[in-house]
């Protein structure tokens, strides 16, 4: 039987990941409205990945015969001061998600729930990549974002990102 706290945190994470998807969909929406379709594409794929993460937590609980409770998804931020503010909100959000994954890991570790720890290993690695990606995007924007021609090329580059299903299969 899964520990109550671990169960609660895993269940909450479904909601947090769907919120992440919703937040990135909002980012995509923001850039689409600015005709920066490459940025919009990049965040649309990010949203799809977050939806996948939510479903992995959902599937993991179901595979372990644990009940799933789905709650309301919070409204994402609507207004941004600048393009850079969106990217920074993305990085801050990923740092927050890393802390959530770490909290679940710590709870699982405390009760020697090795199965959950193994499940979470993929997410620990994934969060490292998410933070790196968000940081890289900010660096590129700092370098190229203020010049329209360079921004155009960065937008083109981000437009080439394609969706791939998560490497973790449950
Ligand atoms: Mg995620």
């Amino acid at each position: 039987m899964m520990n109550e706290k671990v169960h609660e945190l895993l269940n909450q994470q479904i909601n947090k990941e769907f919120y992440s998807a919703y937040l990135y969909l909002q980012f995509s929406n923001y850039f689409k409205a600015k005709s920066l379709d490459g940025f919009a594409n990049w965040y649309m794929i990010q949203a799809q990945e977050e939806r996948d993460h939510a479903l992995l937590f959902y599937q993991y609980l179901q595979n372990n015969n644990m009940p799933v409770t789905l709650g309301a998804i919070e409204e994402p931020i609507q207004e941004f001061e600048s393009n850079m503010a969106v990217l920074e909100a993305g990085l801050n959000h990923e740092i927050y998600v890393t802390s959530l994954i770490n909290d679940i890991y710590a709870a699982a570790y405390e009760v020697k729930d090795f199965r959950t720890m193994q499940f979470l290993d993929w997410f620990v690695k994934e969060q490292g990549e998410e933070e790196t990606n968000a940081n890289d995007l900010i660096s590129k924007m700092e370098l190229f974002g203020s010049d329209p021609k360079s921004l155009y090329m960065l937008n083109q580059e981000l437009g080439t990102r394609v969706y791939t299903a998560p490497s973790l299969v449950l």
Side-chain angles (χ1 to χ4, degrees), residues 54-116:
L55 295 178
L56 285 166
F57 281 97
Y58 171 85
Q59 193 67 58
Y60 179 74
L61 286 177
Q62 287 209 333
N63 287 359
N64 285 278
N65 295 312
M66 296 307 290
V68 168
T69 311
L70 299 174
I73 300 167
E74 196 189 326
E75 185 181 309
I77 318 160
Q78 304 284 349
E79 306 283 339
F80 302 97
E81 280 181 15
S82 62
N83 295 339
M84 184 61 109
V86 178
L87 272 51
E88 282 167 348
L91 174 61
N92 288 335
H93 183 68
E94 287 305 332
I95 291 167
Y96 168 63
V97 173
T98 297
S99 78
L100 296 175
I101 298 293
N102 289 348
D103 287 348
I104 311 172
Y105 207 104
Y109 179 81
E110 205 171 312
V111 297
K112 295 190 169 66
D113 181 350
F114 301 115
R115 188 187 296 169
T116 297

